[in-house]
Amino acid sequence: MEENNIQELEEMRQQLNILQEKLDQQDIVNEKLLKSSMKSKMSWIVKYIIGEVIVIPILAIMLSGIYVMFNLPFYSYIYILLICVADIYMDYRINISSMKPADYEKNNLMQTVKKLIKMKKMRSYQTLFGFLLTCIWLFWLGYDMCHLTGVPNTELYNGLVHGCTIGMGIGGVIGLVIAYFIYKKMQSTNDEIIKIIEAIDDLKDNKEN
């Protein structure tokens, strides 16, 4: 009788070990899926920054044509190009350089949470200063367009001037609105990743308990 009880206890112990192994494997799979999800959510930001790098030369050529056509001073042209280059550089430093692939693999992901919170803060400063500097350029350009010198005073040119002034003003406002929505989406992405990290920590806590 005693031997039967010992055998039953041994079988129960083996079953519990098998069950624990399955639970551990499930936790590992869930953790890998969550980490993969984090990387996937950040990938669109990397693609966006690459897109910025591609668009800048096109924007520079288009703006240079307008400045040459209306004989505008090139000070504001250089100013806005410097702003664009600085903005892309800051995008890289804040969104890519500050986060390494290893940050998603560390056992203690709370350091990654701190980086994500800091990233949101730096991104807010970048967006605010970028908005103010771009508004300065729009007013500067508008002033130059309203005080053109050295261009023919013809009906055609006057129509082009008014059309370009209005068009660039509307384009600038639309660009700022789009930039704001991109900023909000980036901030939302950080919040989503923080929630994923919290879910990973919950898995680890359940595993330890």
Side-chain angles (χ1 to χ4, degrees):
M1 184 71 178
E2 185 177 352
E3 291 181 358
N4 290 336
N5 290 335
I6 294 174
Q7 186 176 358
E8 289 177 359
L9 288 173
E10 184 62 27
E11 290 177 354
M12 289 179 61
R13 186 179 298 107
Q14 291 176 357
Q15 291 176 355
L16 287 173
N17 290 334
I18 293 172
L19 178 61
Q20 184 63 48
E21 288 178 2
K22 290 183 177 179
L23 290 174
D24 291 342
Q25 289 175 357
Q26 184 65 35
D27 287 342
I28 291 171
V29 170
N30 288 338
E31 187 171 335
K32 287 182 177 179
L33 288 173
L34 290 171
K35 288 178 180 179
S36 176
S37 177
M38 283 192 295
K39 294 178 182 179
S40 176
K41 287 182 180 297
M42 287 295 291
S43 64
W44 79 266
I45 298 180
V46 177
K47 294 176 182 177
Y48 167 75
I49 296 172
I50 293 173
E52 284 184 315
V53 174
I54 295 172
V55 168
I56 282 296
I58 300 173
L59 177 65
I61 293 171
M62 292 175 60
L63 281 178
S64 65
I66 294 173
Y67 273 78
V68 170
M69 179 185 298
F70 297 113
N71 196 30
L72 292 168
F74 267 75
Y75 300 113
S76 61
Y77 173 76
I78 296 172
Y79 171 84
I80 192 60
L81 286 187
L82 289 175
I83 290 175
C84 290
V85 172
D87 186 65
I88 293 175
Y89 174 74
M90 291 305 300
D91 273 341
Y92 171 78
R93 287 294 303 271
I94 293 172
N95 299 295
I96 299 179
S97 178
S98 62
M99 292 292 291
K100 306 296 183 183
D103 290 327
Y104 301 108
E105 304 297 336
K106 291 178 181 177
N107 292 328
N108 183 13
L109 288 172
M110 296 315 296
Q111 292 297 324
T112 306
V113 171
K114 292 179 181 179
K115 285 188 176 184
L116 290 168
I117 293 173
K118 183 180 179 180
M119 186 188 294
K120 289 183 64 178
K121 185 177 180 181
M122 295 300 296
R123 195 183 288 138
S124 297
Y125 290 141
Q126 176 196 6
T127 302
L128 176 61
F129 284 113
F131 175 81
L132 293 175
L133 293 174
T134 302
C135 285
I136 291 173
W137 174 72
L138 288 173
F139 283 114
W140 188 355
L141 180 62
Y143 176 85
D144 286 341
M145 293 290 285
C146 292
H147 297 81
L148 287 175
T149 59
V151 296
N153 187 17
T154 64
E155 185 176 346
L156 175 61
Y157 251 84
N158 289 335
L160 285 173
V161 170
H162 289 299
C164 284
T165 302
I166 294 172
M168 292 182 74
I170 294 174
V173 173
I174 292 174
L176 289 174
V177 171
I178 293 174
Y180 174 76
F181 279 108
I182 291 174
Y183 158 77
K184 292 293 291 183
K185 186 177 179 181
M186 286 181 175
Q187 299 293 71
S188 177
T189 298
N190 279 45
D191 290 334
E192 291 173 5
I193 295 175
I194 290 172
K195 290 180 181 178
I196 291 173
I197 292 175
E198 291 173 349
I200 292 175
D201 278 345
D202 289 340
L203 283 175
K204 290 182 177 181
D205 289 340
N206 292 335
K207 183 178 178 181
E208 291 174 357
N209 295 332

